[in-house]
Amino acid sequence: MKDNSSPTEINRSFQHHFENNINRIDKSGKSDSLAITLEARMKELNVPGVCITIFDRNKILWTKGYGVMNKESMEKVNENTLFQAASISKPVTSVTAFKLMEKGKINLDENVNLKLKRWKVPENEFTIKEKVTPSRIMSHTSGLGTSGFQGYHKNEPIPSLVKILAGSEITNSNPVRVIQTPGESELYSGGGMQVLQLLIEDVSGKKFSKLTEELIFQPIGMKYSSFTFPLSAKLTNLTSMGYDSNGKVIDGGYRIYPEKAAAGLWTTSSDLSEFMIALGKSYRGEKGGILKQSSAKKMMERVPNAGGIGIGIDGEGDAFRFRHSGGNAGFSCYAVSFAREGRGVVVMTNSDNGFPLNHEIVRAISKTYNWLPMWMRE
């Protein structure tokens, strides 16, 4: 019997099935046999709001918000709600660096100190033979420390990029220094991404926020994405509040992250999906990509004892996929795409408790659509 359902009706059917078939995942990674609704699971985990975008064959199938972006006003999450992307800022930064590499301004395997102008990576016993390079920074094998950042309250003084790197009396993170031999092994470093941000600005002569707007957001059509702070009035009105593990709003609504390259992106799940689609098109050499195919393939080349260069990678063959997770104070998110298919999902939440929910949502989507696993290292 022929199915005369419209694509919209089919999408709604899949969406409805997904929303009613969330399985809790225990610490061992095993799914509970009892399915519950997404709404019930959000309540259990004390996650106020979620936005999900599903895409396939380079097209967004649907985007939907669940819950609220502000518990006080009870304003609901919708497809234009902005969340902090947290560490998913890093792949966007890495694509920006690759764009400058394509223009001949950055050499992936060159000592960053050769082109840094305002500050340089301090030399020490670890850098005698091996040097910090853009490629090593993006693959987290640079040997640089300072794994992450905690952000700043709106009323606190905000340090400059150079102060973040060098350390200062108003900086709440450790100075960025080489703490193991570059190239030796993976050592996750948000501080390294700040070195890359400085390099990007020094070689381009432009502010990082402006450059990402020109090179990434405008070409892809990411209209609700920005590294600029304060955000424009239009975007400010769309921002979600962040909530801690007890469901209490983050003091000030959210933290400010001047560490833009590592953690400073505000975006929507649909905008982030467009980024993942464009990067996948680049990898496959299709029209509408954001990088040359050779650049995208280099990004997704496995570095020994690490992941890709600027993004996480998992699986082989049809299961080969690129992904990144993110967690800032009050926000947790996940983005993944199959490299060969233009298929994947972006999940963004406004809660410190969002990480397990992200996992359960992604697994439920794989099950609903009969897709291969999409979670990290599964």
Side-chain angles (χ1 to χ4, degrees), residues 6 35 69 90 122 133 157 160 175 200-201 204 234 246 276 285 288 314 354 365 368 378:
S6 70
M69 58 188 276
K90 294 178 176 72
T133 68
S160 67
I200 285 169
E201 291 186 346
S204 69
K234 171 191 168 185
N246 296 315
M276 298 296 278
D314 288 307
I365 288 165
T368 297
E378 287 188 348

Side-chain angles (χ1 to χ4, degrees), residues 280-330:
K281 285 179 177 178
S282 303
Y283 180 83
R284 295 184 297 276
E286 297 170 359
K287 186 179 178 182
I290 191 65
L291 292 173
K292 293 177 181 177
Q293 186 177 21
S294 57
S295 299
K297 283 188 172 289
K298 182 70 176 174
M299 271 192 82
M300 296 180 212
E301 204 175 85
R302 185 168 292 283
V303 175
N305 303 314
I309 302 175
I311 200 157
I313 52 175
D314 288 307
E316 295 178 359
D318 290 341
F320 181 62
R321 57 200 183 272
F322 55 98
R323 48 82 183 163
H324 215 285
S325 61
N328 277 0

Side-chain angles (χ1 to χ4, degrees), residues 8-245:
T8 300
E9 289 171 329
I10 292 169
N11 275 336
R12 283 178 182 157
S13 175
F14 275 107
Q15 191 181 91
H16 183 264
H17 183 272
F18 152 73
E19 291 168 349
N20 289 279
N21 286 277
I22 303 295
N23 297 87
R24 301 176 190 88
I25 298 174
D26 65 23
K27 290 181 180 179
S28 71
K30 184 180 178 183
S31 287
D32 190 338
S33 59
L34 179 67
I36 62 173
T37 66
L38 176 58
E39 187 178 55
R41 188 59 174 144
M42 287 171 64
K43 191 174 181 180
E44 280 184 357
L45 289 170
N46 207 1
V47 175
V50 180
C51 199
I52 302 167
T53 299
I54 311 290
F55 55 94
D56 193 17
R57 297 181 184 180
N58 297 333
K59 293 188 182 302
I60 289 176
L61 300 181
W62 55 268
T63 297
K64 187 174 178 181
Y66 302 85
V68 297
M69 58 188 276
N70 186 324
K71 289 169 73 172
E72 187 176 351
S73 68
M74 294 304 290
E75 189 173 356
K76 293 185 181 299
V77 173
N78 62 47
E79 62 183 15
N80 294 328
T81 300
L82 272 73
F83 297 79
Q84 289 187 357
S87 283
I88 303 180
S89 304
K90 294 178 176 72
V92 178
T93 300
S94 296
V95 169
T96 305
F98 270 89
K99 293 287 285 185
L100 293 178
M101 182 270 289
E102 291 177 353
K103 296 174 183 287
K105 292 183 178 291
I106 284 178
N107 182 325
L108 292 183
D109 300 311
E110 182 178 75
N111 181 357
V112 293
N113 279 349
L114 296 177
K115 288 178 180 168
L116 286 173
K117 298 173 183 175
R118 290 171 286 163
W119 175 89
K120 294 185 185 293
V121 176
E123 301 286 353
N124 60 23
E125 68 270 28
F126 299 111
T127 62
I128 294 169
K129 290 183 179 180
E130 298 294 335
K131 304 297 180 182
V132 174
T133 68
S135 178
R136 284 172 169 170
I137 287 173
M138 289 185 278
S139 63
H140 296 284
T141 59
S142 67
L144 288 163
T146 313
S147 61
F149 302 99
Q150 62 187 43
Y152 295 80
H153 189 279
K154 293 174 183 178
N155 296 331
E156 291 180 311
I158 307 298
S160 67
L161 177 53
V162 170
K163 284 186 176 180
I164 290 166
L165 293 166
S168 76
E169 68 285 349
I170 65 168
T171 307
N172 64 14
S173 55
N174 292 327
V176 179
R177 300 289 185 268
V178 180
I179 60 173
Q180 73 175 31
T181 304
E184 184 180 284
S185 63
E186 188 176 40
L187 180 67
Y188 194 86
S189 175
M193 296 305 292
Q194 293 316 118
V195 176
L196 187 63
Q197 180 182 331
L198 188 71
L199 180 68
I200 285 169
E201 291 186 346
D202 282 355
V203 301
S204 69
K206 295 183 178 181
K207 288 290 185 184
F208 179 74
S209 302
K210 181 68 175 172
L211 194 64
T212 52
E213 181 72 31
E214 292 176 7
L215 296 182
I216 310 293
F217 303 146
Q218 287 179 359
I220 293 176
M222 297 170 69
K223 297 178 181 178
Y224 297 91
S225 302
S226 182
F227 281 105
T228 301
F229 198 87
L231 292 165
S232 67
K234 171 191 168 185
L235 297 185
T236 296
N237 292 332
L238 300 171
T239 56
S240 172
M241 299 295 102
Y243 295 87
D244 67 18
S245 58

